[in-house]
Amino acid sequence: MAITVEKEGTKYIETHLRGSQLLQSSHLNKGTAFSTKERELFHLIGLLPHSVETLDEQLQRAYCQFSLQADDLQKNIFLNNLYNTNETLFFRLIREHIPEMMPIVYTPTAGLAIQRYSDEFRKPRGIYLSYPEREHVDEILSQWDDDKIDLIVLTDSEQILGIGDQGANGIGISVAKLVVYTLCAGINPRRMLPIMIDVGTNNPDLLEDPFYLGWRHPRISPKEYHKFVENVVNAINEKFPHVFLQWEDFGKKNARYHLDRYQDVMCTFNDDIQGTGAVAMAALLNALKITGTQLSNHRVLIYGAGTAGCGIADELWRQMVKEGLNHQEAYDHFYLMDREGLVTGARDKIDYFKAPYACSSTEPSEWDPGDDPRELLDVVRNVQPTILIGTSTVQGAFTREVVTTMASQIERPIIFPLSNPLTLTEAKPEDIIRWTGGRALVATGSPFSDVEFRQKSYPVAQCNNALIFPGLGLGVVSSQAARVTASMMDAAIVELASSAQLNEDNTRLLPEVSRLMDVSKDIGVAVARQAILEGVARKRVNGNIEALVENNMWEPVYIPYKPLVVINSK
């Protein structure tokens, strides 16, 4: 397949595929929208109903079919089947209905779909690098042209969303992320690749499931695992030296290790760490505008010190340092809680990425007798946080007493229950608004409707990573950046924060999902500009950076086809 531009400026696609082979290509299939001339040229007469439809007519039918599905899982299955049949129609349909369909193809429904992946399997998509086939990694990657892949989303599926180890089923999260890259930033779906590293699973339900499609084996040892991942990364780096590699849903220890290990080796990014931190930081920047305060004047309590929680802490810590605090002063503004309770220096062993945030080992001993550093309410009472962030996946952890205790200590409490999906959120925004008398500034991880309280509407922002990573990827791909730098992340955060239109009547801390395409484009421009300024862009740019980014945005429209004539060298 090749896209050609005629002298008059009209684009068309050349392909050697004919007949049923063309209809079976999800990249190229137009279904009933093949023109009469194309049907003749590509031997499609008789393989399609007589009527020739427009894309808009196909959209109407597809939306009716979507609406008839019984539940969200069935809607997800319908859309994936459409994806496997007609890629252009799939992306155009969702773009036309993005507020309704984004939660179906991405969070929260993606989690359920991944759990059901083996049961509902229809067609493979992407690459499965299984440990028993580790000698064939180079051979597997060789099936793709090295100049036609711009972006890879890689997962080992150890910690999928809020549902844990999903083994080979986790390929679904890589696919979903790439769908969002296209929907929200227009990155060409034919230049991206989802990859699943199958190193076994410790999920007993999957190991006993007769339909499970992955390698039926417990996860391999850490030594074997890190050697395998290193081999995979080296093979990717050699095959696709200019690719943007995103790590997705690795376990907390491995996620941090891989980012630290490879971020100076290739252009790489971890959405669970950096993306989550960036979106939360953008929302907080706007909360700080409303409260008229600096972040360095706040005390931050993060309930859930895993990959996401520590990623948020790192981003907020960087902001405090930029505001003038030294490193230790900034760390002293944080309190992290994990499954063992408050992270303190008294512990025998602390994960290296948590250790800088460990509070004084003597601090809890100075609390009121009977207060327990393992209990959130007691920590809130003693720490007196002004910002409370939840990444724990503990449903209802932010109880009325926790919220009202915090709200009694500050005029405008900032409370972000960010856990996904809806069933795992720490608190519902309507409860937080009601318990604080409308004083709290709220952002959530899952989508919630705005809250009506005392005849006033309170906007609820969703800290959806789709607000940041598609635009970041667009900027990286457009500039062909060799690295993702801290300043590039800062540029994305500032652009995202500024895209929320704050005023007296609207305190929504982040833009609506319906504006994702415009927001992602602006972020892409900001990131590409910063990459060029820092000298990490491989792309030479003469002139308009906005035009550069726009030229890298794929549109889900049908382009005329012409037969590609294959010349026989014999």
Side-chain angles (χ1 to χ4, degrees), residues 466-481:
L467 289 165
I468 201 85
F469 73 81
L472 175 71
L474 178 61
V476 168
V477 168
S478 298
S479 65
Q480 295 179 15

Side-chain angles (χ1 to χ4, degrees), residues 291-319:
T291 60
T293 59
Q294 283 193 317
L295 185 58
S296 53
N297 293 327
H298 285 264
R299 293 180 301 280
V300 182
L301 173 57
I302 297 179
Y303 185 67
T307 302
C310 291
I312 292 170
D314 289 347
E315 193 58 59
L316 272 57
W317 176 85
R318 286 202 314 117
Q319 176 65 24

Side-chain angles (χ1 to χ4, degrees), residues 358-375:
C359 62
S360 167
S361 59
T362 61
E363 189 165 347
S365 66
E366 299 169 359
W367 293 1
D368 292 338
D371 283 350
D372 189 344
R374 294 171 298 181
E375 296 295 329

Side-chain angles (χ1 to χ4, degrees), residues 43-71:
H43 307 160
L44 297 173
I45 294 175
L47 299 182
L48 292 166
H50 178 74
S51 294
V52 175
E53 293 187 306
T54 65
L55 179 55
D56 286 339
E57 289 171 329
Q58 289 181 317
L59 284 170
Q60 293 178 31
R61 179 184 296 106
Y63 184 69
C64 287
Q65 293 171 341
F66 170 85
S67 301
L68 290 173
Q69 304 306 308
D71 53 38

Side-chain angles (χ1 to χ4, degrees), residues 4-17:
T4 305
V5 180
E6 295 177 319
K7 291 181 180 179
E8 302 81 25
T10 303
K11 289 183 179 180
Y12 63 89
I13 291 177
E14 289 184 321
T15 178
H16 68 277
L17 297 180

Side-chain angles (χ1 to χ4, degrees), residues 4 24 72 126 128-129 139 151 169 182 190 207 246 272 399 443 477 500 504 544:
T4 305
Q24 290 168 9
D72 287 350
Y128 303 80
L129 300 178
E139 176 188 341
L151 198 157
N169 292 355
T182 299
R190 295 149 201 179
L207 292 172
Q246 176 178 319
D272 305 301
T399 63
V477 168
E504 292 183 0
N544 193 332

Side-chain angles (χ1 to χ4, degrees), residues 184 515-523:
C184 301
R515 295 180 53 216
L516 274 171
M517 181 61 78
D518 290 337
V519 171
S520 295
K521 176 187 169 183
D522 292 341
I523 291 174

